[in-house]
C-alpha cells in the first residue's frame, strides 16, 4: 500500500458575499497516494478549483482538516504556506499564467528565485527543464511570442522548477485544441510514470481524464462517484 | 534575490514606458530645482563671502544715498558727502579712525590697448597703514604706495595676466591712466574679490591733482570702530551726527552707514527669500511627484493582481511581493532623481557659464558637491519608497485565490 500524501477530512469552504453564503465545499473527503494520477471531474461550480486551491495551500478551509505529508496545513501561517507552495507543489493553470514581462527561462526560474537559490543553479535547472518540455530553442522568448501549447509547456517546466512532489493542474488543456492538449497530457503522464510525481488534474474532458489512474466526480462540494481505472 | 526583483521591476517600469516617465516629471522638476538652487546658492554664497568677507566686522562704510532734494526732479542727483564729514566722524565716541575714499572710473591703456578700470584712492599719512590693515592689502610683486609717490599705481592681481591688453602688466611697466603716464610699482595679492582684483590704486593727492577728482565729493567714508562689540552703537551715533549735518529727519536719510557684515547679511537674507520660494515650489512638485508615484503603483497593483496571485501560487511570500513593489516605487523615485540632478546641474552650470559670457563676471558660480548629488539620490529613492509603501503593502496582502480569479 502506497503512502498517503494528501488527505482532506470533512473539508468545508464557505464564501460569504454580503449576506449570501455559498458553500463551495460541503464536507469533502479525499485521499491521494504518493505517485498517484488523480482526475477530478464535475459540473461547473461544483467546487473543483476550490478543492485544488486548498490542496495547493492557496487557501485554508472554513472547517475540516487538510493533511499534507501528515501535517495539518489549516493551522499554518502565510509565510509557511508560501514555503510549502514553493517547495512541494507545482501549479499548472488553464490560462497558463506566465509572467508577461519575463522570458520563458526567467518564468521557469521564478519559483527558484523565491527559494533564494543562487543564479547559476537556477539557470542550469531552468534550462534543463525547458529542454525536457522541448522548448530549448525558445528560452529567451516572452510568453506573447509563444503559442498556447508552448506557453503551457513553459508552465509545466515552471511547475517542476523546485522538484515538487505534487503537481496540481486545473484544466490545463481547457484553452488548447485537442491535439495540443494531447501533447501536454503526454508530458504530464510521463512525469507521473517516469518521475513518480503525484498529479491531481481537474478536467471537463473525458478523454483527458482517461490519462488518470482514478477519477473522482464532484457535485455540490462533495464526491459523488469514484472510478478506479487501475486496480490499486 | 534582490537583484532579481530589481531586474523584474525595471522590466515592469519599461513595460509601462510613457506612464513611468510621466510619473517622474514631478520628481525631476522638484529635484532639479533643489539641486540647481543649492548648487547656485552655495556658489553665490562663496562669491559673496569672497567679495566682502575679507573686511573685518569692525569696519563701517558711510555713503550718500537716495535722491538729493536740491537737484531738479527726476535727475537722480545724489547729494555727496563733504570732505569734512570724515573729521567729524572721527570725533564720534568709539571711532578709532575714519578717512575719505574716492572711487573713479578711468581708462587704462597698456600695450596700445585701452580698457575701462576702477581706480580707488589710498589715504595718506597715518591713515595709510590703517587702510592697508583694514583691507589686508599686500603686494605680491613690487611694493605698496608711499606718501611720496605721484603718478604711481598699484594694480589688482587680475592685471598681471589680463588678456585684454594682449599681455600682463609687470612691475615697472608704464601704463596710461586717462591718457597720462603712470608707473606700476606693485601688483596686489589675489583676493578672490572682483572689486579688489581689478582695482587701480593711487594716492589720494594724485587722484585730485592728476585725475581731477573733486576733493569735496567723497564717495565713501571708511570708519574703523575701536571695539567690535560697539559696532551697532557707533553706527547709531554716526547716523545721528549725519542726520544733523545733512539736516534730514529720521526715516528720510540720504546716506547709509553699513558694515560689510550687514551687507553680507542683507544679501544672505535676500538670497534666503528667493531660495525659500524655490524650495516651496520644489516641495510642491515633489509632493505631486510622490502622489503620482503612489497613483502609478496603485494602478500597477490593480493591473498585476493576477500576476501577484500567480507569484504567490509558485511560492512568493507576502514579503517578496512587498519588496518587488517597494523596489519599483523606489526606482521610479530614483530615476526621476537622476534626471533631476542632471537637469539641475545643467541649469546651474549653464547659468554660471552664461554669467561669464554675457556679464563677463565670475559672480554667478555653481558648486554642486558630491554630498549634494548623493543626498538628492537618496532623497528621491526614499521619496519613491515612501509613496510606494501603501500600494506595496496592499499588493502583499492580496488573497492569492482571489487574485488568481481576477480577470487581469
Ligand atoms: N472567492 C469566491 N467568492 C465567492 N464565491 C466563490 C469564490 N470562489 C468560488 N466561489 C463559488 O464557489 C463555488 C465553487 O467554485 P469553483 O471555482 O470551485 O468551481 P469549479 O468546480 O472550479 O467550476 P468551473 O468548472 O467552472 O471552474 C461556485 O459556486 C463559486 O461561485
Ligand atoms: Mg474551476
Amino acid at each position: 500500500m502506497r503512502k498517503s500524501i494528501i488527505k482532506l477530512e470533512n473539508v468545508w469552504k464557505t464564501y460569504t458575499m454580503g449576506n449570501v453564503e455559498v458553500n463551495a465545499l460541503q464536507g469533502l473527503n479525499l485521499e491521494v497516494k504518493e505517485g498517484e494520477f488523480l482526475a477530478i471531474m464535475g459540473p461547473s461550480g461544483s467546487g473543483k478549483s476550490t478543492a485544488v486551491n486548498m490542496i495547493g495551500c492557496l487557501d485554508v478551509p472554513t472547517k475540516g482538516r487538510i493533511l499534507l505529508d501528515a501535517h495539518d496545513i489549516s493551522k499554518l501561517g502565510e509565510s509557511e504556506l508560501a514555503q510549502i507552495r514553493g517547495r512541494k507543489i507545482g501549479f499548472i493553470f488553464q490560462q497558463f499564467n506566465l509572467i508577461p514581462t519575463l522570458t520563458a527561462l526567467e518564468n521557469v526560474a521564478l519559483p527558484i528565485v523565491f527559494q533564494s537559490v543562487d543564479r547559476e543553479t537556477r539557470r542550469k535547472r531552468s534550462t534543463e527543464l525547458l529542454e525536457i518540455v522541448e522548448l530549448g530553442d525558445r528560452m529567451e522568448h516572452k510568453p506573447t511570442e509563444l503559442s498556447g501549447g508552448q506557453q503551457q509547456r513553459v508552465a509545466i517546466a515552471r511547475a517542476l522548477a523546485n522538484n515538487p512532489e505534487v503537481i496540481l493542474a486545473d484544466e490545463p488543456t481547457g484553452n488548447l485544441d485537442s491535439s495540443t492538449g494531447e501533447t501536454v497530457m503526454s508530458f504530464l503522464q510521463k512525469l507521473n510514470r517516469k518521475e513518480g510525481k503525484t498529479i491531481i488534474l481537474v478536467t471537463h474532458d473525458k478523454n483527458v481524464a482517461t490519462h488518470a489512474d482514478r477519477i473522482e466526480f464532484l457535485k455540490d462540494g462533495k464526491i459523488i462517484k469514484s472510478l478506479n481505472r487501475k486496480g490499486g | 534575490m534582490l537583484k532579481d526583483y530589481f531586474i523584474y521591476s525595471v522590466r515592469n517600469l519599461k513595460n509601462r514606458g510613457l506612464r513611468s516617465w510621466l510619473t517622474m516629471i514631478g520628481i525631476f522638476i522638484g529635484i532639479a530645482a533643489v539641486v540647481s538652487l543649492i548648487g547656485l546658492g552655495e556658489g553665490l554664497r562663496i562669491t559673496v563671502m569672497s567679495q566682502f568677507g575679507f573686511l573685518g566686522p569692525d569696519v563701517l562704510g558711510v555713503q550718500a544715498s537716495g535722491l538729493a532734494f536740491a537737484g531738479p526732479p527726476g535727475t537722480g542727483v545724489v547729494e555727496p558727502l563733504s570732505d569734512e564729514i570724515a573729521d567729524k566722524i572721527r570725533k564720534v565716541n568709539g571711532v578709532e579712525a575714519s578717512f575719505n575714499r574716492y572711487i573713479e572710473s578711468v581708462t587704462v591703456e597698456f600695450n596700445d590697448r585701452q580698457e575701462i578700470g576702477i581706480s580707488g584712492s589710498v589715504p595718506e599719512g597715518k591713515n595709510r597703514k590703517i587702510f592697508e590693515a583694514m583691507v589686508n592689502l599686500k603686494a605680491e610683486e613690487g611694493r605698496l604706495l608711499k606718501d611720496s609717490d605721484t603718478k604711481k599705481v598699484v594694480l589688482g592681481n587680475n592685471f598681471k595676466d589680463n588678456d585684454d591688453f594682449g599681455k600682463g602688466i609687470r612691475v615697472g611697466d608704464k601704463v596710461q591712466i586717462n591718457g597720462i603716464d603712470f608707473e606700476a610699482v606693485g601688483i596686489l595679492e589675489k583676493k578672490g574679490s572682483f572689486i579688489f582684483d581689478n582695482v587701480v590704486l593711487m594716492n589720494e593727492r594724485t587722484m585730485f591733482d592728476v585725475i581731477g577728482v573733486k576733493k569735496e565729493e567723497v564717495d565713501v567714508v571708511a570708519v574703523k570702530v575701536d571695539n567690535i562689540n560697539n559696532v551697532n552703537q557707533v553706527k547709531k551715533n554716526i547716523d545721528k551726527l549725519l542726520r544733523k549735518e545733512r539736516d534730514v529727519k529720521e526715516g528720510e536719510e540720504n546716506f547709509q552707514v553699513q558694515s560689510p557684515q550687514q551687507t553680507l547679511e542683507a544679501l544672505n537674507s535676500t538670497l534666503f527669500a528667493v531660495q525659500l520660494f524655490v524650495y516651496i515650489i520644489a516641495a510642491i512638485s515633489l509632493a505631486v511627484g510622490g502622489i503620482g508615484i503612489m497613483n502609478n503603483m496603485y494602478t500597477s497593483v490593480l493591473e498585476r493582481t493576477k500576476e501577484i496571485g500567480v507569484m504567490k501560487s509558485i511560492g512568493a511570500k507576502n514579503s517578496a511581493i512587498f519588496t518587488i513593489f517597494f523596489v519599483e516605487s523606489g526606482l521610479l523615485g530614483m530615476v526621476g532623481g537622476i534626471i533631476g540632478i542632471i537637469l539641475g546641474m545643467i541649469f546651474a552650470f549653464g547659468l554660471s557659464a552664461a554669467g561669464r559670457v554675457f556679464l563677463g563676471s565670475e559672480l554667478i558660480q555653481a558648486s554642486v558637491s558630491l554630498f549634494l548629488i548623493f543626498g538628492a539620490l537618496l532623497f528621491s529613492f526614499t521619496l519613491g519608497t515612501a509613496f510606494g509603501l501603501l500600494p506595496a503593502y496592499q499588493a502583499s496582502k492580496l488573497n492569492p485565490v482571489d487574485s488568481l480569479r481576477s480577470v487581469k
Side-chain angles (χ1 to χ4, degrees):
Chain A
M1 180 82 178
R2 281 188 287 185
K3 170 178 141 208
S4 160
I5 191 166
I6 296 158
K7 203 166 174 191
L8 281 72
E9 293 177 351
N10 190 28
V11 169
W12 288 72
K13 182 72 192 181
T14 310
Y15 290 107
T16 318
M17 316 226 320
N19 36 20
V20 185
E21 289 198 342
V22 180
N23 288 314
L25 297 179
Q26 310 188 40
L28 177 67
N29 288 295
L30 182 69
E31 191 178 356
V32 186
K33 298 249 157 50
E34 196 171 34
E36 209 178 356
F37 194 152
L38 170 73
I40 299 175
M41 294 188 76
S44 184
S46 57
K48 305 180 295 292
S49 295
T50 308
V52 165
N53 289 342
M54 298 272 169
I55 296 169
C57 299
L58 281 171
D59 214 344
V60 286
T62 314
K63 213 169 80 184
R65 295 208 303 166
I66 297 177
L67 301 173
L68 208 96
D69 271 345
H71 297 291
D72 187 357
I73 63 152
S74 1
K75 307 250 170 350
L76 297 180
E78 175 272 322
S79 115
E80 290 156 309
L81 288 175
Q83 198 79 343
I84 296 177
R85 288 198 292 269
R87 293 207 180 138
K88 299 200 165 192
I89 315 276
F91 277 97
I92 300 166
F93 305 91
Q94 181 175 356
Q95 292 97 351
F96 324 133
N97 285 353
L98 299 175
I99 308 290
T101 44
L102 300 181
T103 64
L105 192 69
E106 288 163 336
N107 263 290
V108 176
L110 196 56
I112 325 181
V113 172
F114 294 130
Q115 300 303 319
S116 313
V117 173
D118 71 273
R119 228 180 158 68
E120 207 31 59
T121 317
R122 247 159 41 200
R123 198 178 171 80
K124 216 170 133 235
R125 171 87 183 140
S126 340
T127 312
E128 259 171 39
L129 286 169
L130 278 175
E131 268 155 12
I132 290 174
V133 295
E134 292 164 14
L135 286 171
D137 53 345
R138 293 284 189 281
M139 294 202 278
E140 300 304 328
H141 288 234
K142 295 268 173 71
T144 46
E145 300 157 2
L146 297 170
S147 73
Q150 287 170 332
Q151 286 189 56
Q152 197 59 304
R153 272 143 64 196
V154 175
I156 292 175
R158 180 178 68 183
L160 294 170
N162 286 318
N163 199 18
E165 293 151 56
V166 180
I167 303 280
L168 299 177
D170 194 345
E171 302 193 37
T173 57
N175 276 4
L176 302 173
D177 64 62
S178 54
S179 80
T180 321
E182 204 41 51
T183 330
V184 166
M185 283 317 297
S186 71
F187 272 114
L188 287 180
Q189 193 148 41
K190 234 194 292 179
L191 281 174
N192 175 249
R193 299 264 159 83
K194 295 220 173 106
E195 316 266 331
K197 301 271 181 225
T198 309
I199 295 178
I200 299 172
L201 165 83
V202 172
T203 183
H204 277 119
D205 188 333
K206 283 203 184 66
N207 295 326
V208 170
T210 53
H211 290 270
D213 307 332
R214 177 160 66 110
I215 305 172
E216 298 280 354
F217 292 90
L218 218 64
K219 196 172 180 234
D220 298 331
K222 282 185 294 238
I223 305 284
I224 51 158
K225 195 168 85 174
S226 279
L227 198 89
N228 247 332
R229 303 190 58 254
K230 288 200 311 196
Chain B
M1 209 170 49
L2 203 61
K3 192 183 163 199
D4 297 289
Y5 295 167
F6 210 78
I7 295 170
Y8 175 64
S9 292
V10 171
R11 291 274 176 81
N12 274 296
L13 290 177
K14 267 199 198 152
N15 201 38
R16 275 179 278 156
L18 184 64
R19 242 171 61 208
S20 300
W21 291 114
L22 289 175
T23 303
M24 285 185 277
I25 286 180
I27 303 292
F28 59 69
I29 290 177
I31 295 285
V34 170
V35 167
S36 59
L37 197 71
I38 295 180
L40 283 175
E42 266 174 33
L44 215 55
R45 215 177 289 276
I46 292 168
T47 311
V48 167
M49 284 306 285
S50 64
Q51 297 304 319
F52 302 99
F54 59 88
L55 286 171
D58 55 349
V59 177
L60 290 172
V62 182
Q63 271 175 283
S65 71
L67 297 177
F69 295 110
T75 53
V77 172
V78 172
E79 187 184 323
L81 295 174
S82 81
D83 58 329
E84 285 112 45
I85 292 272
D87 294 329
K88 287 176 179 155
I89 288 175
R90 195 173 308 116
K91 297 197 184 88
V92 170
N93 242 340
V95 171
E96 185 183 308
S98 113
F99 49 84
N100 295 331
R101 294 228 40 225
Y102 300 87
I103 292 157
E104 186 74 15
S105 65
V106 291
T107 59
V108 180
E109 200 179 323
F110 178 67
N111 198 26
D112 292 330
R113 295 194 209 179
Q114 210 182 49
E115 285 295 322
I116 301 292
I118 301 291
S119 71
S121 68
V122 177
E124 290 163 33
K126 65 179 192 324
N127 284 335
R128 181 187 300 282
K129 280 276 162 296
I130 296 170
F131 171 72
E132 285 173 5
M134 203 184 254
V135 294
N136 193 21
L137 215 57
K138 287 201 183 83
E140 185 182 288
E141 286 170 23
R143 60 171 173 86
L144 296 176
L145 293 166
K146 297 185 295 201
D147 280 358
S148 56
D149 288 331
T150 44
K151 297 196 182 176
K152 303 265 162 70
V153 285
V154 169
L155 298 172
N157 198 275
N158 283 356
F159 284 101
K160 201 177 72 176
D161 32 40
N162 193 336
D163 298 330
D164 293 342
F165 296 111
K167 65 179 188 184
I169 301 177
R170 284 289 112 95
V171 170
D173 280 346
K174 287 262 171 294
V175 288
Q176 278 82 46
I177 311 276
N178 281 4
I180 301 151
D181 276 347
F182 275 74
E183 184 194 341
V185 294
I187 301 285
L188 295 175
E189 277 183 355
K190 185 125 191 127
K191 277 242 185 280
S193 157
F194 181 72
I195 302 163
F196 264 90
D197 287 338
N198 292 298
V199 80
V200 177
L201 286 176
M202 59 182 75
N203 276 340
E204 199 174 85
R205 220 164 323 117
T206 312
M207 211 149 197
F208 305 145
D209 302 344
V210 183
I211 305 292
V213 168
K214 290 198 196 100
K215 187 170 187 293
E216 312 79 56
E217 293 182 7
V218 176
D219 290 304
V220 186
V221 177
V223 178
K224 190 170 189 306
V225 177
D226 61 4
N227 184 344
I228 297 173
N229 299 325
N230 293 340
V231 171
N232 282 329
Q233 187 53 47
V234 173
K235 176 178 154 24
K236 277 189 199 131
N237 294 344
I238 297 175
D239 274 332
K240 209 151 110 204
L241 170 79
L242 282 169
R243 274 199 295 271
K244 213 177 99 209
E245 283 295 317
R246 289 163 74 87
D247 194 25
V248 288
K249 291 197 199 73
E250 194 160 353
E252 291 175 0
E253 286 88 349
N254 53 3
F255 60 89
Q256 268 184 324
V257 182
Q258 271 195 321
S259 70
Q261 298 296 310
Q262 275 177 323
T263 314
L264 262 183
E265 274 159 31
L267 261 164
N268 271 340
S269 72
T270 315
L271 258 175
F272 180 74
V274 175
Q275 277 175 327
L276 195 68
F277 178 70
V278 182
Y279 279 135
I280 290 170
I281 290 176
I284 292 170
S285 53
L286 286 175
V288 170
I291 292 165
I293 289 184
M294 201 179 209
N295 179 41
N296 186 330
M297 293 311 295
Y298 269 127
T299 316
S300 174
V301 171
L302 273 182
E303 282 178 352
R304 284 195 278 161
T305 299
K306 183 150 201 167
E307 225 171 290
I308 294 166
V310 172
M311 288 196 284
K312 286 195 167 183
S313 74
I314 60 174
K317 292 181 188 173
N318 287 2
S319 59
I321 303 292
F322 180 86
T323 312
I324 287 170
F325 282 86
F326 190 70
V327 165
E328 211 166 297
S329 61
L331 269 178
L332 265 178
M334 202 164 78
V335 174
I338 293 173
I339 297 169
I341 290 169
I342 295 171
L343 285 180
M345 281 170 69
I346 291 176
F347 184 74
F349 286 106
L351 206 66
S352 79
R356 262 196 303 281
V357 173
F358 297 114
L359 304 176
S361 92
E362 304 273 330
L363 235 53
I364 308 168
Q365 279 191 12
S367 134
V368 177
S369 62
L370 227 55
F371 178 78
L372 175 60
I373 293 177
F374 282 111
L377 267 186
L378 193 71
F379 176 80
S380 53
F381 182 78
T382 313
L383 187 89
T385 53
F387 282 92
L389 218 57
L390 285 173
Y393 181 75
Q394 192 192 48
S396 77
K397 287 291 173 199
L398 284 176
N399 174 296
V401 177
D402 293 342
S403 329
L404 274 173
R405 285 166 62 94
S406 80
V407 183
K408 220 220 149 238

